[in-house]
């Protein structure tokens, strides 16, 4: 190779490699869930792809891309697919709010998802509903119902949960839970359904995106973790509680994620 070609190749790498260097993805479903993080971005840049605004920049000196996925499993899976096809990612953190199912998981509390489960995929017959394991793209079922989060990201979330600044609800310091989080395309506002999700799936909180994101991450081998703070308890008052507590709950989860990226190697 002559010198001119070599210099052109080096120039090309210098120009384009930084744009494609690895980032941590941070995703929420709603504006309230990502706003604190977007505002904390250093040197922010917005790129619109496929109807999604991707905010890139540095968060606590860590390269990140932040996006709002939209509400529900379909939006979440679409957004994860567009994200992963356009950015070079080292992992994905989902941050947001959920309905607490554990009797002591009250508004403002944190649930770190060690595994995700989709609870509206299965067989509906005269006997009722039987959940099915996820199937891969060829149609083969996975052997496990659960989608496991990345163990390093779980550990980091736990560490960060002890350091994060929280907004207190009724003067109560948030409790930190770790365990299964369930996902369906349903806003759960029924104590009987909430009990079923808790006893049948052992899930501590329920929401509308996590398992869809987790499924795409598993297909692509991308490490992920889902962090949620309770906005309500998936009971009759869920709508009222959601409107009252979505702000502080979304902030608690986002502040935990801020601490998390601070603890990550740059
Ligand atoms: N009133 C809002 C409702 C959004 S749906 C609106 O009309 O825009 C609720 C969002 O918060 C979803 O993104 C879901 O992941 C989460 N969530 C909070 N509480 C929930 C519950 N009880 N059941 C299911 N999802 C819940």
């Amino acid at each position: 190779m002559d010198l001119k070609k070599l210099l052109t190749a080096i120039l090309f790498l210098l120009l384009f490699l930084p744009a494609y260097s690895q980032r941590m993805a941070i995703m929420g479903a709603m504006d309230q869930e990502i706003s604190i993080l977007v505002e904390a971005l250093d040197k922010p840049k917005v790129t619109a792809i496929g109807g999604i605004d991707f905010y890139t920049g540095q968060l606590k000196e860590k390269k990140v891309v932040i996006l709002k996925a939209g509400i529900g499993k379909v939006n979440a899976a679409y957004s994860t697919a567009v994200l992963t096809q356009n950015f070079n990612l080292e992992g994905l953190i989902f941050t947001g709010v959920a309905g607490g199912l554990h009797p002591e998981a009250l508004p403002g509390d944190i649930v770190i998802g060690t595994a995700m489960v989709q609870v509206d995929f299965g067989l509906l017959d005269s006997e009722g509903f039987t959940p099915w394991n996820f199937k891969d793209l060829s149609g083969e079922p996975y052997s496990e119902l659960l989608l496991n989060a990345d163990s390093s990201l779980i550990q980091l979330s736990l560490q960060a949960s002890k350091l994060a600044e929280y907004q207190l609800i009724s003067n109560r310091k948030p409790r930190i839970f770790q365990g299964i989080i369930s996902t369906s395309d349903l806003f759960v506002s029924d104590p009987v359904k909430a009990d079923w999700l808790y006893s049948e799936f052992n899930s501590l909180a329920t929401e509308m995106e996590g398992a869809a994101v987790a499924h795409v991450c598993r297909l692509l081998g991308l490490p992920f973790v889902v962090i949620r703070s309770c906005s309500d308890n998936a009971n009759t008052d869920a709508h009222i509680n959601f409107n009252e507590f979505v702000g502080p709950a979304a902030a608690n989860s986002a502040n935990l994620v801020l601490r998390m990226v601070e603890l990550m190697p740059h």
Side-chain angles (χ1 to χ4, degrees):
M1 198 192 296
D2 63 35
L3 191 64
K4 208 171 148 195
K5 275 191 184 148
L6 183 69
L7 286 174
T8 315
I10 291 171
L11 190 67
F12 180 86
L13 283 176
L14 285 175
L15 280 176
F16 292 103
L17 262 189
Y20 210 64
S21 62
Q22 278 210 323
R23 293 174 187 279
M24 183 57 68
I26 306 174
M27 180 188 275
M30 302 178 288
D31 287 322
Q32 297 101 312
E33 293 170 331
I34 61 160
S35 57
I36 288 180
L37 299 165
V38 172
E39 279 156 27
L41 263 185
D42 262 347
K43 305 188 195 94
K45 197 180 138 206
V46 192
T47 314
I49 311 169
I52 304 163
D53 285 337
F54 291 95
Y55 300 89
T56 50
Q58 296 200 355
L59 203 56
K60 306 277 183 194
E61 288 166 36
K62 174 85 188 163
K63 278 190 161 194
V64 298
V65 50
I66 304 173
L67 69 149
K68 179 177 80 169
I71 295 169
K73 299 198 318 267
V74 179
N75 285 326
Y78 169 73
S79 300
T80 312
V82 176
L83 165 75
T84 50
Q85 296 313 299
N86 286 280
F87 292 87
N88 180 15
L89 302 178
E90 58 184 276
L92 186 156
I93 304 168
F94 193 103
T95 175
V97 301
L101 302 171
H102 185 286
E104 284 160 38
L106 302 180
D109 289 358
I110 297 283
V111 180
I112 295 165
T114 53
M116 306 301 301
V117 59
Q118 184 175 332
V119 294
D120 57 356
F121 180 67
L123 170 73
L124 187 63
D125 64 9
S126 55
E127 313 271 292
F129 175 73
T130 312
W132 278 350
N133 289 10
F134 263 115
K135 296 180 192 302
D136 66 19
L137 294 178
S138 75
E140 283 301 308
Y142 286 95
S143 53
E144 292 273 327
L145 184 64
L146 297 177
L147 291 128
N148 293 316
D150 178 70
S151 52
S152 312
L153 288 175
I154 296 171
Q155 285 317 313
L156 211 60
S157 322
L158 282 168
Q159 220 181 320
S161 71
K162 296 181 186 117
L163 307 167
E165 281 171 32
Y166 297 113
Q167 295 190 14
L168 304 191
I169 295 177
S170 309
N171 229 3
R172 183 173 164 277
K173 196 169 169 263
R175 253 187 82 167
I176 314 296
F177 293 85
Q178 53 171 317
I180 298 165
I181 296 178
S182 54
T183 304
S184 70
D185 273 318
L186 303 161
F187 183 84
V188 183
S189 183
D190 171 16
V192 176
K193 188 85 177 172
D195 275 351
W196 176 72
L197 291 169
Y198 181 56
S199 54
E200 179 77 19
F201 299 97
N202 222 353
S203 61
L204 306 183
T206 198
E207 39 88 314
M208 301 173 68
E209 298 84 18
V213 175
H215 178 58
V216 178
C217 288
R218 176 168 63 181
L219 285 172
L220 300 172
L222 185 68
F224 72 90
V225 70
V226 176
I227 318 283
R228 296 278 182 171
S229 175
C230 301
S231 52
D232 60 272
N233 280 100
N235 57 18
T236 325
D237 293 333
H239 274 111
I240 303 165
N241 292 339
F242 176 89
N243 288 330
E244 191 175 352
F245 301 126
V246 63
N252 286 354
S253 183
N255 283 327
L256 191 159
V257 173
L258 262 184
R259 284 293 184 171
M260 240 177 124
V261 289
E262 215 170 7
L263 293 172
M264 282 174 187
H266 299 139

